[in-house]
Amino acid sequence: MHALVAKAEQHLPEAEIILELGRFLVAPAGIYVAKIIDRKVSHDVTYLVADGGMNHHLAASGNLGQLIRRNYPAVIGNRVQGEQREVGPLCTPLDILLNQGDIAVAGPGDYIVIFQSGAYGLTASPNGFLSQKSAAEVLV
């Protein structure tokens, strides 16, 4: 890297060299979509069970134990009205993609859409965790 910077400074003295690892430039453009496969209510909390979660998008689930969840911006892709929800698919309470998020009333067959997922969503996640199927990446 040092050799490349020195060469660039020699041949392109007006250029400013910046190293960016992908999250800032790429993340706002990406979305993660998972299908809702079940809906349950436990202790007055509504849970939507999805066909993907921390095994595909570890950062959105809190990175295996982060106490304060970031709650990536999310919507139910085919609904509009709001309601408080928990969303996630696996058998651990750590696998929550959205913690008490205000999203549309949803159930099996609907789709949860997590925005700002473009950088490292899939590649930094434990794919195949508990034999869950892998996600597909689509570039548009």
Side-chain angles (χ1 to χ4, degrees), residues 54-55 89-92 95 126-133:
M54 69 185 285
N55 56 318
L90 303 178
C91 63
T92 169
D95 190 20
N127 292 295
F129 181 66
L130 295 177
S131 300
Q132 297 288 317
K133 61 185 175 183

Side-chain angles (χ1 to χ4, degrees), residues 3-139:
L4 289 173
V5 170
K7 189 174 183 179
E9 287 174 344
Q10 179 184 3
H11 295 289
L12 302 165
E14 300 297 320
E16 180 181 2
I17 298 172
I18 299 171
L19 177 64
E20 199 284 313
L21 300 178
R23 181 84 193 139
F24 180 77
L25 294 175
V26 178
I31 62 171
Y32 172 71
V33 180
K35 187 174 185 177
I36 308 289
I37 57 173
D38 200 2
R39 174 188 167 109
K40 71 176 187 174
V41 177
S42 178
H43 302 282
D44 296 323
V45 176
T46 301
Y47 293 86
L48 299 174
V49 180
D51 66 356
M54 69 185 285
N55 56 318
H56 298 154
H57 198 328
L58 186 63
S61 73
N63 290 312
L64 293 173
Q66 185 174 353
L67 295 177
I68 299 173
R69 295 185 188 276
R70 288 184 219 146
N71 271 357
Y72 283 53
V75 297
I76 298 299
N78 53 325
R79 305 279 178 180
V80 291
Q81 64 197 65
E83 184 177 18
Q84 292 290 308
R85 301 275 173 216
E86 305 277 352
V87 182
L90 303 178
C91 63
T92 169
L94 297 175
D95 190 20
I96 301 289
L97 289 174
L98 184 66
N99 183 37
Q100 290 297 307
D102 186 18
I103 57 175
V105 175
D110 291 325
Y111 293 88
I112 180 76
V113 177
I114 308 291
F115 296 100
Q116 300 179 2
S117 299
Y120 315 119
L122 181 61
T123 56
S125 300
N127 292 295
F129 181 66
L130 295 177
S131 300
Q132 297 288 317
K133 61 185 175 183
S134 293
E137 286 186 301
V138 179
L139 300 175

